Amino acid sequence: MVKALEGVRILDFTHVQSGPTCTQLLGYFGADVIKIERPGVGDITRGQLRDVANADSLYFTMLNGNKRSLTLDSKNKKGLEILEALIKICDVMVENFAPGVMDRMGLTWERIQELNPRIILASIKGFGPGPFEDYKVYENIAQCAGGSASTTGFDDGPPVVTGAQIGDSGTGLHLALGIVTALFQREKTGRGQKVLAAMQDGVLNLCRVKLRDQQRLAHGPLKEYPQYPNGKFGDAVPRAGNASGGGQPGWILKCKGWETDPNAYVYFITQAQVWKGVCEVIGKPEWVTDPNYATPDARLPRLMEIFATIEKWTMTKTKWEVMDAANKYDIPCGPILSMKEIAEDQALRETGTIVEVDHPVRGRYLTVGNPIKLSDSVTEVMRAPLLGEHNDDILRNVLKFDERAIREAIESGALGGATSAAAE
Ligand code: CAO
């Protein structure tokens, strides 16, 4: 079966998390991803948070599946020559270096276009054009600058960052969409273009409901926020704890075993359409007609009291029992799943969302497969490459170098020392 992006060749000059998530996703869809790494060290994540001595870390292996690795010193004359030869035959070049790094390598947009006018140059930066454009950025900085941290956490506590990597992996996703869109446009124009995804912009895009609330605030209190009706609203959107961002009030409630299990909780939603069911399942049928509870508007000022009552019921059941009982009434609710529970989840494995992969050095590991399912393009998750594992393969089969050219490349030091072919 032909894969969606088969025939698309990606020059992957990314590192750490944001860029690699983007190119891994393109690899899942069938693109040929050639990852360029600095000889000797490679992507810095290979050695970060190591759990198995001398083996590439999970940080690296879970972000770099479905890629080939070529070690290349871009500051070596021959190395730059090889890089430029690859630019000529690739459809997309992806990078997430600090601002100015590509220009310092001599790879300006003008030079890249000169080499290949059809190429798409896709970049992740921390900030878009403006006062901070030259700054380096990591995940949590983007969460703070994009509006997520100021709106996450509880009202009486400090701003909080979220475990979901919305700055890195979130921006990687944005960039992937930009790339396939540019490829689609190239079908009509024949030209490449630059694609930029700034991490601050990506986080803000995911926080757009909070910018919505910022504007609503000018017209009165945010009635679905826990601050209403007793707390105070300032001039900026406050942290809303676990309140739902939409029109259906929700909160996280304790379940049976919460005293010892930190994840014995459930997210419970009191959506207007299922209010009757909520009243029945928690044993409060009188609330269906009681004017203090019967309508969404009547409930808004007493949401916390309502959730406290619902919690008395959820605390008598496990999160799975709550989910089961609530869904019988079509009441949406979410068990708080630990990473241990997710890692062991059979259904997620069956759909390929969690995949177990073999690795020659570290042994078997779990990774997240393709979260986007296409009916006509099956994802096969392949292990991450060893550093420089495909040096020979790429010179020989992609760049079509003959024996002499390969020898010259090796002798120039562009690929690093003899040890850079780590796969041997
Ligand atoms: N051969 C030779 N040199 C190479 C090379 C190669 N194959 N690959 C990289 N380098 C060099 C670069 O040329 C650069 O050198 P100069 O500064 O001398 O020009 C150097 O490595 C460092 O690049 P960098 O500044 O991008 O790396 P850093 O570790 O200092 O910063 C990061 C990392 C992530 C903060 C920065 O790259 C950045 O802000 N990127 C954009 C935003 C982003 O993606 N952030 C998310 C990262 S994931 O949390």
Side-chain angles (χ1 to χ4, degrees):
M1 184 195 273
V2 174
K3 300 206 174 102
L5 293 182
E6 215 158 289
V8 174
R9 190 174 279 148
I10 312 281
L11 184 52
D12 180 8
F13 213 4
T14 67
H15 64 153
V16 204
Q17 184 184 159
S18 62
T21 57
C22 165
T23 49
Q24 177 171 260
L25 197 55
L26 300 174
Y28 282 174
F29 285 128
D32 177 14
V33 182
I34 299 172
K35 182 167 174 108
I36 308 296
E37 296 185 80
R38 209 200 301 231
V41 269
D43 189 320
I44 193 164
T45 58
R46 282 188 187 265
Q48 285 180 334
L49 311 177
R50 268 203 173 130
D51 55 329
V52 176
N54 303 320
D56 290 330
S57 69
L58 286 166
Y59 196 5
F60 177 83
T61 50
M62 290 179 73
L63 296 171
N64 289 286
N66 296 45
K67 302 181 185 181
R68 292 192 274 180
S69 167
L70 169 66
T71 50
L72 211 53
D73 180 355
S74 63
K75 289 177 177 139
N76 170 299
K77 189 164 165 284
K78 188 76 182 173
L80 186 61
E81 222 177 277
I82 295 173
L83 196 53
E84 293 198 338
L86 282 166
I87 290 174
K88 285 186 187 157
I89 57 167
C90 283
D91 298 283
V92 184
M93 182 175 191
V94 192
E95 63 88 21
N96 67 309
F97 288 121
V101 168
M102 288 284 283
D103 288 357
R104 286 201 291 279
M105 281 182 192
L107 294 172
T108 59
W109 173 228
E110 291 68 30
R111 176 66 184 147
I112 290 169
Q113 271 184 307
E114 203 175 279
L115 293 164
N116 180 359
R118 281 177 60 81
I119 202 162
I120 288 150
L121 173 63
S123 303
I124 289 177
K125 299 290 163 232
F127 294 98
F132 306 137
E133 66 186 306
D134 292 331
Y135 296 176
K136 292 185 177 182
V137 166
Y138 286 102
E139 170 68 50
N140 289 343
I141 300 171
Q143 289 196 23
C144 294
S148 176
S150 71
T151 53
T152 303
F154 288 86
D155 198 27
D156 55 358
V160 173
V161 294
T162 159
Q165 303 288 282
I166 57 177
D168 280 338
S169 295
T171 309
L173 262 171
H174 282 89
L175 191 72
L177 176 61
I179 290 169
V180 291
T181 305
L183 281 169
F184 191 65
Q185 189 175 6
R186 192 180 72 173
E187 291 296 303
K188 290 174 257 174
T189 63
R191 288 190 310 275
Q193 61 181 301
K194 279 198 286 183
V195 178
L196 170 67
M199 293 168 73
Q200 181 185 36
D201 301 12
V203 171
L204 174 59
N205 185 35
L206 299 176
C207 288
R208 72 173 49 226
V209 298
K210 297 296 177 181
L211 187 56
R212 171 201 68 193
D213 292 348
Q214 181 62 40
Q215 296 169 85
R216 289 173 60 222
L217 199 52
H219 302 280
L222 304 169
K223 293 186 181 165
E224 76 284 14
Y225 276 52
Q227 288 81 356
Y228 179 78
N230 302 318
K232 279 206 174 68
F233 285 89
D235 60 0
V237 174
R239 295 184 265 288
N242 288 316
S244 155
Q248 42 280 332
W251 202 252
I252 289 185
L253 307 178
K254 290 171 183 156
C255 293
K256 196 196 254 178
W258 67 274
E259 299 90 338
T260 51
D261 176 357
N263 295 303
Y265 288 83
V266 69
Y267 198 92
F268 200 96
I269 291 174
T270 60
Q271 204 179 11
Q273 297 93 303
V274 293
W275 178 243
K276 188 165 174 286
V278 172
C279 300
E280 278 173 31
V281 79
I282 66 165
K284 281 278 183 191
E286 64 276 18
W287 276 2
V288 179
T289 47
D290 184 332
N292 283 331
Y293 300 92
T295 65
D297 277 350
R299 292 193 288 276
L300 278 176
R302 41 185 70 84
L303 279 178
M304 285 300 125
E305 173 219 314
I306 290 170
F307 284 124
T309 306
I310 298 173
E311 193 172 56
K312 284 196 186 122
W313 174 75
T314 58
M315 281 166 71
T316 66
K317 310 214 165 317
T318 67
K319 60 191 174 191
W320 301 112
E321 288 165 349
V322 172
M323 195 179 174
D324 198 38
N327 274 290
K328 288 204 170 81
Y329 289 86
D330 264 348
I331 304 163
C333 63
I336 308 302
L337 295 189
S338 69
M339 272 300 151
K340 181 172 184 294
E341 287 167 319
I342 288 174
E344 291 163 358
D345 190 309
Q346 279 314 309
L348 290 175
R349 288 177 185 231
E350 273 156 32
T351 58
T353 298
I354 290 187
V355 184
E356 209 166 315
V357 192
D358 260 328
H359 188 277
V361 183
R362 61 170 303 114
R364 289 180 86 72
Y365 66 95
L366 286 188
T367 193
V368 182
N370 196 341
I372 304 162
K373 320 290 187 203
L374 267 60
S375 67
D376 207 15
S377 178
V378 173
T379 298
E380 288 166 83
V381 175
M382 283 168 281
R383 70 162 171 87
L386 301 174
L387 181 61
E389 180 171 351
H390 302 96
N391 284 2
D392 186 76
D393 176 26
I394 289 160
L395 296 187
R396 200 178 292 276
N397 302 318
V398 178
L399 289 168
K400 311 286 181 208
F401 279 16
D402 59 19
E403 292 301 335
R404 211 194 69 200
I406 292 175
R407 208 172 43 247
E408 265 175 31
I410 293 171
E411 283 168 6
S412 74
L415 314 187
T419 51
S420 70
E424 286 162 17

